[in-house]
Amino acid sequence: MNKCSVQLSWVLSAVLLATIFLFGIRWGTNILSKGPVYDEQYITVPIDNLIKYGWSVSTAINFEETKGPAMIWPYAIIGNFFGGTLNDLRLVSVWSSIFAAAFLAWLALLRSVRPKLIIWITLGWLLLPYNLIFSEIVMGEVSYLLLALMAVSAFVFGVGSPVNKSKWIAPTLYCIALALALHSRIHVVAVAGAVCLTAFGLQGKSSWPWWLATFVAGLLRIPLWYHWGGLVSPQYQALHGLGFRLESLSYLAAAMVPFVGIFALEGWRRVKARPSIMMAFIVGFFLVIIAMPDLYVPETIDLTANNSRFQGIAATLVKKISSELLVQQITLALLAGLGLSGLIGLWHCRDKATLLTSLTFWSMLLGWSLYALTRGFVFDRFLLTWAFLLPILWVQLLPRGLRCVQYAGLAFIAAYLAAIWLN
């Protein structure tokens, strides 16, 4: 078998594993008998309107949701083809996750990851915090991740191929995928910034096609911003908008632990990395001391108010440990220190996988930093929009012992969330 045939066989193995796993969860849990969960009661409204009332400016553009048309339209088209019910729409998420696993496997093979490790990478994809749950329900993350992986795949293919073969094709494909992702959710801005910084680090001035492609994709998002008058549709702009708040950084630093906390241990093995890892821990710890987020969650959502909600794995863990505010603050501070030190530890491990590590590090750092300029809701799951390459890095950068620890922790989180939302 030639190299392409071998790669195709391993990509198909990733697809097969993801298919068996996700359909097993779909049929083996109670999700098919459950009504709307998570944000499905909101997200499915514009999708159902498109299916029920047809396509018009009112239904296709002037809908009220935090997601963009690139999320709403495919669910309406493909979901209607399946039948149009809630469970039919959920099937779109299942297949989006399966195709995303295929792109992730292809990316790994492009970066010369040993083919036998593809199974580990696919398992890591399924166990990414929240990904398993969102792969089974109608949420914006999974279809967005597929678009983001398409954009990153075009970039990785372009920088790894001879210039004469990909000088224009790869940046053009990247631009198209990025523009679509921008019309799904604005979080991809951090990924675009990571692509530009990584390209400049690798190619210097010759990286200009990637900067140009990113700029063009950004311009294509402006008409929707102008039409809506903000980052999201008018009704939800009080929940997601621009502002300044350090508490967002405090909380997201703590929320990084399940994603990159393990790299604090791996990075510590490098003596030169220890001072910066210690400094990152101190920054994260005192960031929470200075700007402690309010973990109280109101029972209702006021769409007209500037709601401040910090919800997810980190908040749940902290509140389960203690109801005392001081203990909660110290616990969250320790988590924030570990989260930032893990991110810095990831950077110091980049010698084993320079390109993908740089993309992930810059995506998470830029995404985290940009949340200092936002107001409204902050959820742990937002980190998933920048951390989708981590399954490859867990395999490439971590020794077997730490990888098993990481996967065990991820499996526990996935089982816990599945028990809550899918049963």
Side-chain angles (χ1 to χ4, degrees):
M1 296 178 66
N2 58 35
K3 183 178 180 180
C4 290
S5 298
V6 172
Q7 290 183 339
L8 178 60
S9 66
W10 281 105
V11 170
L12 291 177
S13 71
V15 169
L16 180 61
L17 174 60
T19 301
I20 294 173
F21 201 100
L22 291 177
F23 275 96
I25 295 294
R26 179 177 170 89
W27 295 327
T29 62
N30 295 323
I31 187 60
L32 294 179
S33 61
K34 292 176 72 72
V37 298
Y38 254 110
D39 292 345
E40 285 185 325
Q41 60 180 314
Y42 308 110
I43 294 176
T44 54
V45 171
I47 299 172
D48 289 340
N49 286 340
L50 272 174
I51 295 174
K52 183 177 181 180
Y53 300 111
W55 292 71
S56 66
V57 173
S58 177
T59 57
I61 299 177
N62 292 339
F63 57 83
E64 294 294 345
E65 233 303 309
T66 59
K67 312 304 181 293
M71 184 267 164
I72 302 300
W73 296 356
Y75 272 85
I77 296 170
I78 303 173
N80 189 39
F81 175 80
F82 288 141
T85 68
L86 177 59
N87 283 326
D88 295 324
L89 297 178
R90 287 167 173 168
L91 198 55
V92 180
S93 297
V94 173
W95 283 108
S96 294
S97 187
I98 291 170
F99 285 122
F103 272 97
L104 194 68
W106 183 56
L107 265 176
L109 294 171
L110 280 179
R111 301 312 300 167
S112 301
V113 175
R114 284 186 296 157
K116 292 182 179 180
L117 295 174
I118 294 301
I119 300 302
W120 276 97
I121 291 170
T122 306
L123 183 60
W125 164 255
L126 296 168
L127 294 179
L128 264 170
Y130 294 100
N131 195 38
L132 181 64
I133 310 303
F134 295 157
S135 297
E136 300 289 348
I137 63 178
V138 184
M139 291 286 284
E141 278 79 2
V142 176
S143 59
Y144 156 84
L145 290 174
L146 176 58
L147 293 172
L149 275 164
M150 288 179 178
V152 170
S153 296
F155 170 69
V156 172
F157 173 75
V159 297
S161 301
V163 175
N164 61 341
K165 289 186 177 181
S166 59
K167 183 176 181 180
W168 295 109
I169 295 176
T172 300
L173 292 175
Y174 160 76
C175 179
I176 294 171
L178 178 61
L180 290 172
L182 280 167
H183 282 80
S184 176
R185 58 192 306 150
I186 204 68
H187 290 85
V188 79
V189 166
V191 179
V195 166
C196 290
L197 291 174
T198 302
F200 184 78
L202 293 173
Q203 300 176 333
K205 294 181 179 180
S206 298
S207 65
W208 67 265
W210 303 106
W211 290 82
L212 178 61
T214 301
F215 178 72
V216 172
L219 288 179
L220 294 174
R221 181 60 169 77
I222 292 177
L224 183 61
W225 190 337
Y226 177 79
H227 183 79
W228 277 351
L231 297 176
V232 297
S233 63
Q235 184 177 339
Y236 288 90
Q237 287 176 12
L239 305 185
H240 301 276
L242 299 177
F244 180 78
R245 190 174 60 187
L246 286 178
E247 288 83 355
S248 299
L249 297 185
S250 301
Y251 186 76
L252 284 179
M256 287 184 189
V257 173
F259 294 91
V260 296
I262 196 74
F263 290 107
L265 299 177
E266 177 61 16
W268 191 260
R269 297 171 59 188
R270 294 157 171 78
V271 176
K272 292 182 179 180
R274 292 176 183 177
S276 57
I277 290 175
M278 291 177 62
M279 182 59 65
F281 183 89
I282 293 171
V283 170
F285 184 90
F286 282 101
L287 186 59
V288 175
I289 299 301
I290 296 171
M292 173 64 181
D294 183 359
L295 301 183
Y296 168 75
V297 179
E299 293 184 1
T300 59
I301 298 176
D302 183 359
L303 297 180
T304 65
N306 180 10
N307 291 260
S308 294
R309 287 177 177 237
F310 302 90
Q311 289 180 264
I313 300 168
T316 299
L317 175 62
V318 169
K319 288 190 287 187
K320 281 185 177 296
I321 289 176
S322 176
S323 59
E324 295 290 332
L325 293 181
L326 179 59
V327 177
Q328 289 182 355
Q329 185 173 23
I330 293 174
T331 304
L332 195 70
L334 291 172
L335 290 175
L338 180 57
L340 288 189
S341 59
L343 185 61
I344 296 301
L346 173 65
W347 174 256
H348 285 285
C349 296
R350 69 189 184 280
D351 55 306
K352 295 182 180 180
T354 304
L355 179 59
L356 298 186
T357 304
S358 295
L359 283 171
T360 303
F361 173 80
W362 287 117
S363 292
M364 295 192 71
L365 181 64
L366 291 174
W368 174 71
S369 301
L370 287 173
Y371 258 86
L373 306 177
T374 65
R375 53 181 171 80
F377 292 179
V378 178
F379 300 142
D380 300 50
R381 67 177 189 254
F382 292 168
L383 292 171
L384 182 61
T385 62
W386 313 309
F388 51 85
L389 296 177
L390 279 175
I392 300 177
L393 301 181
W394 291 329
V395 168
Q396 281 194 292
L397 306 183
L398 295 177
R400 183 176 299 177
L402 287 182
R403 188 196 311 162
C404 290
V405 170
Q406 176 67 13
Y407 275 47
L410 294 174
F412 176 81
I413 292 172
Y416 176 79
L417 294 175
I420 293 175
W421 296 107
L422 303 183
N423 279 313

